[in-house]
Amino acid sequence: MVSAGWSCNPPSQKLETAWWSTQDISPGQVILDWDGPEPSVGAVLGAIVWTKEVWLATIDGRDFPSRTATGSTTAGALAAHHDDVGTRWTAMVSEYAADGRLGDTVIDALCDPPESFQLYGIVAHVLTYSAHRRGLARAMLARHGVLTNTGDPLDWMRGN
């Protein structure tokens, strides 16, 4: 997950151990009703990746993606999956922005009933909830005694 800007420097523990994805730090925590509960660090971080997958499927007209790849997995596997999904997400946003199409309307056929959204609203939604979840993940990691950075995108962009 380093590529997402929330690198961790655990003093004596590795994120590859099971606690990060299985231990409920915040039982009953629900960020968005339709995403379900996110009680563990792994659930929160997995939701960041899965949300992008769902929106990419909506925009591309594909079927609803499985949550398997973002479920109970190792931190390394989730990071690798995020690298792939993040690359596709960034390419989609860049392409639509370059073509002046961020105002395009997207019909979300994955919703029941289908709903329509403007693409810039989808991007704003993903950015907002990803930032919120990154903050929650940092706080949850701190409860495990794991040191994290500030989460400031400016620091990440500077390579700090």
Side-chain angles (χ1 to χ4, degrees), residues 83-94:
D83 283 345
D84 172 58
V85 172
T87 298
R88 289 188 289 130
W89 173 260
T90 303
M92 180 278 299
V93 172
S94 295

Side-chain angles (χ1 to χ4, degrees), residues 14-73:
K14 291 185 176 186
L15 290 181
E16 294 303 317
T17 57
W19 64 258
W20 85 280
S21 65
T22 58
Q23 185 177 359
D24 289 358
I25 296 295
S26 300
Q29 176 172 266
V30 174
I31 312 310
L32 295 167
D33 289 337
W34 55 84
D35 285 340
E38 298 175 30
S40 67
V41 174
V44 171
L45 297 180
I48 291 172
V49 180
W50 187 69
T51 298
K52 290 181 188 89
E53 284 186 293
V54 171
W55 284 114
L56 285 168
T58 295
I59 293 162
D60 293 341
R62 289 183 281 113
D63 289 336
F64 202 79
S66 168
R67 228 171 165 162
T68 305
T70 61
S72 295
T73 187

